[in-house]
Amino acid sequence: MGVDQTVLFRDKERMKQVLDGAGIRTPRHASAQSASAVLEAAAYVGYPLILKPIAGAGSKDTYRCDTKHELDEAVRRLGHVDTVSVEEFIDGEDWTFDTVCVDGQIQFFNLCFYRPRALLARQHQWISPQTFAIRRVDQPELEPGRAMGRAVLQALGF
């Protein structure tokens, strides 16, 4: 992959913009580089929302905010981060769609989910999170997730 393509996998805001353009549902979102920009984005996104670094990983420095007070506290904690993503909180399961691709074609894929959800595990350090790999990835009820995973890879040019 070239640099421009790899940036899409690290910059959450640019990734969501590409996915939006491809018609793939993403949470309402905006990036912000100041406390006032975070408040403006929060007015657009609404509560509850998630505040996280653009280039974060593993839910580090990620906060769910249900109120302006919680948002103000999260902004204070994220003072060391240049740019954040402010996005709609969508309640649901955390799944991964991991692939091995050769010449742009998926040769192998895996579906996993987390217990508890990644953000909850990050917020409570005493929890030992688990990742569950699905044995039968071809189950019909998982097709929407497989289709979305394939569409995301295509949209990102992977």
Side-chain angles (χ1 to χ4, degrees), residues 95 97 109 111-113 133-150:
W95 285 80
F97 179 76
F109 71 92
L111 296 169
C112 295
F113 65 94
I134 303 301
R135 179 180 294 170
R136 291 183 27 241
V137 295
D138 59 344
Q139 296 173 64
E141 60 269 22
L142 299 176
E143 176 52 27
R146 293 190 304 266
M148 183 181 203
R150 291 188 299 267

Side-chain angles (χ1 to χ4, degrees), residues 4 11 17 20-21 31 43 58 60 65 69 75 86 98 110 126 137 148 152:
D4 290 342
D11 183 323
Q17 290 168 354
D20 290 343
S31 63
K60 183 176 182 187
C65 303
H69 175 73
V75 167
V86 182
D98 301 306
N110 188 42
W126 57 269
V137 295
M148 183 181 203
V152 165

Side-chain angles (χ1 to χ4, degrees), residues 1 14-15 28 41 48 74 81 85 99 105 113 122 127-128 130 132 139 141-142 148:
M1 291 189 296
R14 289 189 51 200
M15 176 188 282
R28 283 186 310 277
V81 176
S85 178
T99 65
Q105 300 299 312
F113 65 94
R122 176 62 78 169
I127 293 176
S128 296
Q130 298 172 319
F132 292 88
Q139 296 173 64
E141 60 269 22
L142 299 176
M148 183 181 203

Side-chain angles (χ1 to χ4, degrees), residues 12-22 26 29 31:
K12 291 174 176 59
E13 187 62 25
R14 289 189 51 200
M15 176 188 282
K16 286 182 286 217
Q17 290 168 354
V18 169
L19 298 180
D20 290 343
T26 66
H29 57 90
S31 63

Side-chain angles (χ1 to χ4, degrees), residues 29-63:
H29 57 90
S31 63
Q33 295 181 325
S34 68
S36 62
V38 168
L39 292 177
E40 184 177 317
Y44 162 70
V45 168
Y47 292 94
L49 60 80
I50 296 291
L51 188 64
K52 62 186 174 184
I54 288 287
S59 299
K60 183 176 182 187
D61 288 327
T62 299
Y63 299 95

